[in-house]
Amino acid sequence: MLLKTSLRSFFAHKGRMALSLIAVVLSVAFVSGTLVFSNTATSTFDRLFASTASDISVQPAKTGIGGDDEDQRGKAATLPVDTVAKVAAQPGVKTALGRVIVENTTLVNPDTNKAVGPTSGAPTITGNWTDTPRNSVEITSGHAPQGSDQVVLDADTAKKAGLGLGSKLRVLNAGKHDFTIAGIATFKTTNPGAALAFLDTPTAQRVLLGENAYTSVEAFGDGSKSNEQLKADALGSLSGGYEVKTAAEQKEEKNKGVGSFLGFMEKAMLGFAGVSLLVGGFLIINTFSMLVAQRTREIGLLRAVGGSRRQVNQSVLVEALLLGVIGSTLGIAAGLGLALGLIRLMKAAGMNLSSDLVIGANVPITGYAVGILITVLAAWIPARRASKIAPIAALRDHGNPSEGRSTLVRTVIGVVLTGGGAALLVLAANADTAGTGGQLLALGVLLTLVGFVVLGPLLATSVVRVLGAALPAVFGPSGKLAQRNAMRNPRRTGATAAALMIGLALVIGASVFTSSAIKSTNDQIDKSVGADYIIDGGRTGLTAEMVNAARNTPGLDHIVEQRFLPAVFTTPDGKKTEDVGISAVTPQFTDDFRLTAKSGTAESIKQGSVTVGENFAKDHNLKLGDQITVDYGKGRTQSLPVGLITAKSDSLFQGAFLATVDTVTKAVPVADQPLDVALFGKAKAGADVARTLTALEDSLKEYPQLMIKDQAGYKELVQQQINTLLYMIYGLLGLAIVVAVLGVVNTLALSVVERTREIGLLRAIGLSRRQLRRMIRLESVVIALFGAVLGTGLGLGWGITVQQVLKDQGLQTLAVPTGTIVATMIAAVLIGLIAALVPAFRAGRMNVLAAIATD
């Protein structure tokens, strides 16, 4: 009987459940789509790496600090050519091939002088063409490279660059090498976004390595031995200086980089999906609260014929369960479409993933668990309230129990939570370290959010009265009725506004953070940087030819070079610090940059000292003159005195360890030092800065991979990068905003149904259809503005606290985005107007007599 009653009730009110259903569908779709996308991407790379990895790969052992990074040093570690014969002679090895693979080149179309292939993210890989049993590509047009002037290019890169057979392609590394495209190679599985170029083996060795050698030897077994046995045999037959990896180890190593990116992406999207679920929860609470209120007499009849409180409670929860099951099912299906959309988006960005979706068990399990759980939990409060309605009171349509005690409890809980959260935010802003501040911030954000949600209905009456104060004077009776309607049920208004509040609070908080980051960076550049130009070498670094070309630019006074040498530091307290290094600069660095000193002077690095940050000095009890032992690897060490401790407020150099190139050269020969990562140029006195920039760009025009900016251009670049992050956050929060808008629509639609008789009476005494529609639109706008006001207040509090927590990490200057705040308020008005379109239209079409006669 209980199930039958619940089913009849559910399908009798299916129209009123529609928007709640949409909220569940959207939220579950976001979750399931993210999981399907992650599963598909992971499977794609697993198949790629598994199908192309050799049984064992023999590589040079990484002996240097931080590894032998070809991108930093401009050359790859190599193996002697006779290593191929040694590996091939091992029992169980069927084939052994020498490979030349580097990632320190740039491909250029010489006709347009534009870089070919990715400039960030996926690498540009150049090597020798070999026919291995597990090649990742196959030549589908033309032929393999034959001679020193031919190259094979992958099909995706060729298509994007508009290149084909016979086109010219330039390879830039330490020199410039022109080739003709003789073949086009297509990926057998999928292209992860990389650009691939292949030369014949002698040419690859000469151009890419500068010696007769290989970067690895790839061996394939005959099946008589396991990969582990092949690895052990190879290590036993080779002398020191080698490392051998099985196919499984190669796959694991390659998956690390891809896995970290995909893992971050998955967690970020699931986090925003969680926000949407939270917002959807308010919509569901409102829906069931209003349905329970509208069915007061029905519930009374159910109780009068013997239904218990438990049965009434369960009846409402069964309806919620049905809503959750249907919404989750549709959401999982919609998630497949979302996953396909994400795959196409990644393809547009250069990463081709398989279109064969991988739907693991985690997708339906998580989808149904999330959809059903959030729906049933959201409906529990209205269900509990329904079970408390007394039968006689319900039959008289006075079933709402007294809220006096609950209002007092709500007030106390809301004040405690909000006050506690605010106190935690204050403590976070004044914390000694960013780590401690971050923990306090997270807890403070949670408590203030919950506190505002709890206090929302209590704030509704007073805030709505202020927001709607001008409505009666401006819009007459429609305005007065709209204001009173929004104040009539504070709990409903508070829950509806809370959904919008959460999304807008995150928007404002993110805007405060990004605005502060941009302002802080610009201020620090103005304060510390005297150089007029920056030349960034990107992933490949700056060769000697590039440095000389820049140095000889007309109008340029001098160039400052910067390169990075990985190292391990040993401080006087006996502690070792890894994953650090020396930023080696030429002496004129101190003329062009103003370092903020806690103690010491920047000029001291010219006398052979090193700079350290204030935090590092504090952690290791360092003072001026203390010696730090710097180990560059391969037995190269030196002891450097501390000559400058940079202040925490210096966001550009607080964490840097600076020394001159001359100082570093005493331990590491110039030939073994990495390429410059950046150059800084200073225009001559009286020279036109803009014209000199043009001349500098002209000097380096043959190297399109370089980024050349003046100070204004660099600031603009930083702003673009930060804004890209902000727009991505806006996009991910868009779903939460959509769900919040649905909440406003839902509340108004159900409110119109609930007030059918009242609307009929208003129309009977002279309220026109136009006035009625205006009343509903104004009510919607007031509710939306209420949510925007609360969201703005929360977002400002969160954003300002974030800036204070990170003030020693570079966010020195607080910037409040007034334009974004104004835009948020305008958007709230538009949201209110849009949300009211359908409810206002339906209300205006009501038959007056039929509305008055409604029970």
Side-chain angles (χ1 to χ4, degrees):
M1 178 181 173
L2 173 64
L3 179 60
K4 186 180 293 186
T5 303
S6 299
L7 287 172
R8 285 181 175 176
S9 177
F10 180 84
F11 289 108
H13 302 98
K14 57 181 179 293
R16 304 180 192 182
M17 295 281 192
L19 293 179
S20 292
L21 181 67
I22 293 174
V24 176
V25 169
L26 290 176
S27 300
V28 172
F30 208 149
V31 173
S32 60
T34 299
L35 294 176
V36 171
F37 168 77
S38 179
N39 291 346
T40 303
T42 302
S43 174
T44 298
F45 285 106
D46 282 345
R47 291 199 304 270
L48 174 64
F49 298 147
S51 64
T52 58
S54 58
D55 290 334
I56 60 169
S57 177
V58 181
Q59 304 168 5
K62 293 179 173 60
T63 57
I65 300 294
D68 293 321
D69 189 342
E70 65 182 32
D71 289 344
Q72 292 179 352
R73 300 185 179 278
K75 57 185 180 181
T78 59
L79 299 169
V81 292
D82 62 359
T83 309
V84 177
K86 292 179 180 178
V87 175
Q90 296 301 310
V93 174
K94 182 179 180 180
T95 306
L97 300 167
R99 295 298 304 269
V100 176
I101 295 291
V102 300
E103 297 182 13
N104 63 347
T105 61
T106 300
L107 305 180
V108 176
N109 181 348
D111 294 334
T112 62
N113 200 40
K114 291 184 178 180
V116 173
T119 56
S120 61
T124 295
I125 300 173
T126 311
N128 66 324
W129 177 262
T130 55
D131 287 317
T132 74
R134 299 175 195 155
N135 246 350
S136 60
V137 295
E138 59 183 349
I139 295 179
T140 53
S141 179
H143 55 79
Q146 301 168 357
S148 60
D149 63 342
Q150 294 185 359
V151 65
V152 169
L153 187 64
D154 76 272
D156 292 324
T157 303
K159 182 179 179 180
K160 290 177 184 176
L163 300 173
L165 295 178
S167 298
K168 298 296 181 181
L169 184 69
R170 179 172 294 161
V171 177
L172 299 180
N173 51 7
K176 290 178 286 187
H177 314 276
D178 288 338
F179 300 92
T180 300
I181 297 177
I184 301 295
T186 303
F187 276 84
K188 293 180 179 179
T189 52
T190 185
N191 181 1
L196 302 185
F198 301 98
L199 314 173
D200 67 13
T201 297
T203 306
Q205 291 172 324
R206 174 177 57 83
V207 170
L208 304 178
L209 303 180
E211 58 179 318
N212 187 25
Y214 296 111
T215 56
S216 69
V217 173
E218 310 299 328
F220 302 86
D222 58 13
S224 62
K225 291 188 176 184
S226 69
N227 291 349
E228 292 294 340
Q229 289 174 316
L230 292 175
K231 174 181 177 179
D233 291 346
L235 287 172
S237 65
L238 298 172
S239 59
Y242 298 90
E243 65 179 17
V244 181
K245 296 179 180 179
T246 64
E249 290 169 338
Q250 295 173 59
K251 176 183 172 183
E252 181 182 2
E253 181 182 44
K254 292 175 180 177
N255 265 329
K256 282 182 180 178
V258 176
S260 60
F261 166 72
L262 293 177
F264 169 78
M265 188 172 179
E266 178 183 356
K267 290 175 182 176
M269 292 182 65
L270 287 177
F272 285 101
V275 174
S276 300
L277 284 168
L278 181 61
V279 171
F282 288 105
L283 192 160
I284 296 166
I285 289 174
N286 256 7
T287 299
F288 279 92
S289 294
M290 297 178 76
L291 288 177
V292 166
Q294 293 169 19
R295 290 160 50 195
T296 299
R297 183 168 295 180
E298 176 187 325
I299 291 171
L301 286 170
L302 187 62
R303 292 291 310 280
V305 297
S308 65
R309 283 187 174 185
R310 182 179 179 184
Q311 287 177 313
V312 170
N313 191 322
Q314 290 177 345
S315 174
V316 177
L317 291 180
V318 167
E319 292 182 45
L321 180 63
L322 290 170
L323 179 68
V325 170
I326 296 172
S328 298
T329 303
L330 296 175
I332 291 172
L336 301 182
L338 176 62
L340 284 173
L342 289 171
I343 288 172
R344 289 176 182 172
L345 183 64
M346 296 303 293
K347 184 176 182 179
M351 181 182 289
N352 295 327
L353 301 176
S354 172
S355 57
D356 297 329
L357 300 181
V358 178
I359 307 171
N362 62 333
V363 176
I365 291 174
T366 305
Y368 279 110
V370 166
I372 292 173
L373 187 63
I374 194 70
T375 307
V376 172
L377 284 178
W380 179 79
I381 296 175
R384 184 170 175 270
R385 193 178 301 144
S387 67
K388 291 184 176 182
I389 299 176
I392 301 302
L395 290 172
R396 293 175 179 171
D397 207 14
H398 297 293
N400 290 327
S402 173
E403 297 186 359
R405 184 171 178 275
S406 64
T407 299
L408 178 61
V409 173
R410 177 185 286 269
T411 302
V412 173
I413 293 174
V415 169
V416 169
L417 289 173
T418 305
L424 286 171
L425 293 180
V426 172
L427 291 174
N430 294 280
D432 293 332
T433 65
T436 302
Q439 294 173 350
L440 293 172
L441 171 65
L443 188 55
V445 166
L446 178 62
L447 290 183
T448 50
L449 175 61
V450 176
F452 264 59
V453 169
V454 173
L455 287 176
L458 304 175
L459 296 172
T461 303
S462 55
V463 175
V464 167
R465 181 178 285 111
V466 174
L467 292 175
L471 295 183
V474 177
F475 297 102
S478 297
K480 189 171 185 178
L481 287 169
Q483 182 191 32
R484 290 187 176 182
N485 284 336
M487 295 165 54
R488 175 189 292 184
N489 193 324
R491 178 174 289 177
R492 183 189 305 162
T493 299
T496 304
L500 195 58
M501 172 191 76
I502 296 170
L504 295 181
L506 291 172
V507 167
I508 295 296
S511 298
V512 171
F513 166 74
T514 53
S515 297
S516 298
I518 292 171
K519 186 70 165 62
S520 298
T521 301
N522 290 344
D523 288 351
Q524 192 64 55
I525 290 173
D526 292 338
K527 176 182 177 183
S528 301
V529 180
D532 296 310
Y533 316 104
I534 178 173
I535 305 162
D536 192 314
R539 294 185 299 187
T540 58
L542 292 134
T543 64
E545 290 79 5
M546 298 174 188
V547 175
N548 290 331
R551 183 175 282 118
N552 295 326
T553 299
L556 207 60
D557 184 71
H558 63 265
I559 285 287
V560 172
E561 301 175 49
Q562 182 183 20
R563 61 193 65 158
F564 182 80
L565 289 84
V568 173
F569 293 171
T570 303
T571 45
D573 58 5
K575 296 180 180 178
K576 288 184 180 293
T577 304
E578 300 181 356
D579 298 324
V580 290
I582 294 289
S583 288
V585 295
T586 46
Q588 286 177 305
F589 178 86
T590 56
D591 299 331
D592 293 343
F593 292 88
R594 297 175 287 276
L595 282 67
T596 306
K598 179 72 175 178
S599 58
T601 63
E603 291 294 321
S604 64
I605 67 171
K606 294 180 179 179
Q607 282 75 52
S609 68
V610 64
T611 72
V612 300
E614 183 179 349
N615 289 335
F616 185 83
K618 181 179 178 181
D619 292 341
H620 297 279
N621 298 313
L622 292 173
K623 59 184 183 299
L624 296 181
D626 286 348
Q627 297 287 324
I628 297 177
T629 301
V630 183
D631 183 359
Y632 300 100
K634 298 183 179 180
R636 295 163 176 165
T637 63
Q638 66 181 164
S639 183
L640 300 178
V642 176
L644 169 69
I645 298 175
T646 52
K648 290 190 293 185
S649 59
D650 193 333
S651 60
L652 292 182
F653 304 109
Q654 201 281 125
F657 301 91
L658 297 168
T660 63
V661 172
D662 293 339
T663 299
V664 171
T665 302
K666 294 176 182 178
V668 182
V670 172
D672 293 332
Q673 291 181 20
L675 299 177
D676 291 336
V677 295
L679 302 176
F680 305 97
K682 183 70 175 178
K684 291 180 179 179
D688 187 297
V689 176
R691 287 185 178 179
T692 305
L693 173 63
T694 302
L696 184 59
E697 291 172 337
D698 187 62
S699 298
L700 297 171
K701 64 183 179 181
E702 294 185 2
Y703 310 103
Q705 74 272 31
L706 302 182
M707 184 198 74
I708 307 166
K709 300 286 184 182
D710 58 8
Q711 280 199 27
Y714 185 72
K715 289 178 182 177
E716 184 179 346
L717 177 66
V718 170
Q719 183 170 344
Q720 289 174 351
Q721 292 172 339
I722 295 174
N723 282 339
T724 299
L725 172 64
L726 181 63
Y727 298 149
M728 183 179 72
I729 293 174
Y730 284 173
L732 292 171
L733 284 174
L735 178 61
I737 302 296
V738 169
V739 175
V741 172
L742 291 178
V744 179
V745 175
N746 194 56
T747 298
L748 291 172
L750 292 177
S751 177
V752 167
V753 174
E754 185 180 67
R755 293 169 5 213
T756 298
R757 181 184 292 177
E758 174 187 321
I759 290 172
L761 289 171
L762 287 172
R763 293 277 286 114
I765 62 174
L767 193 70
S768 67
R769 287 185 177 181
R770 182 179 180 183
Q771 288 175 312
L772 176 62
R773 290 169 180 161
R774 181 185 294 162
M775 175 191 76
I776 294 173
R777 286 196 297 268
L778 292 175
E779 180 182 350
S780 177
V781 168
V782 169
I783 293 173
L785 278 174
F786 174 50
V789 169
L790 295 184
T792 300
L794 265 185
L796 285 173
W798 296 346
I800 291 171
T801 305
V802 169
Q803 183 271 326
Q804 288 296 305
V805 168
L806 298 177
K807 62 184 176 183
D808 291 336
Q809 311 299 316
L811 251 67
Q812 283 288 320
T813 308
L814 173 66
V816 177
T818 53
T820 302
I821 293 174
V822 172
T824 299
M825 295 301 170
I826 295 173
V829 174
L830 294 176
I831 287 172
L833 292 173
I834 293 170
L837 288 176
V838 175
F841 178 75
R842 290 185 61 187
R845 292 185 63 189
M846 281 186 184
N847 181 283
V848 176
L849 294 179
I852 294 173
T854 300
D855 187 7

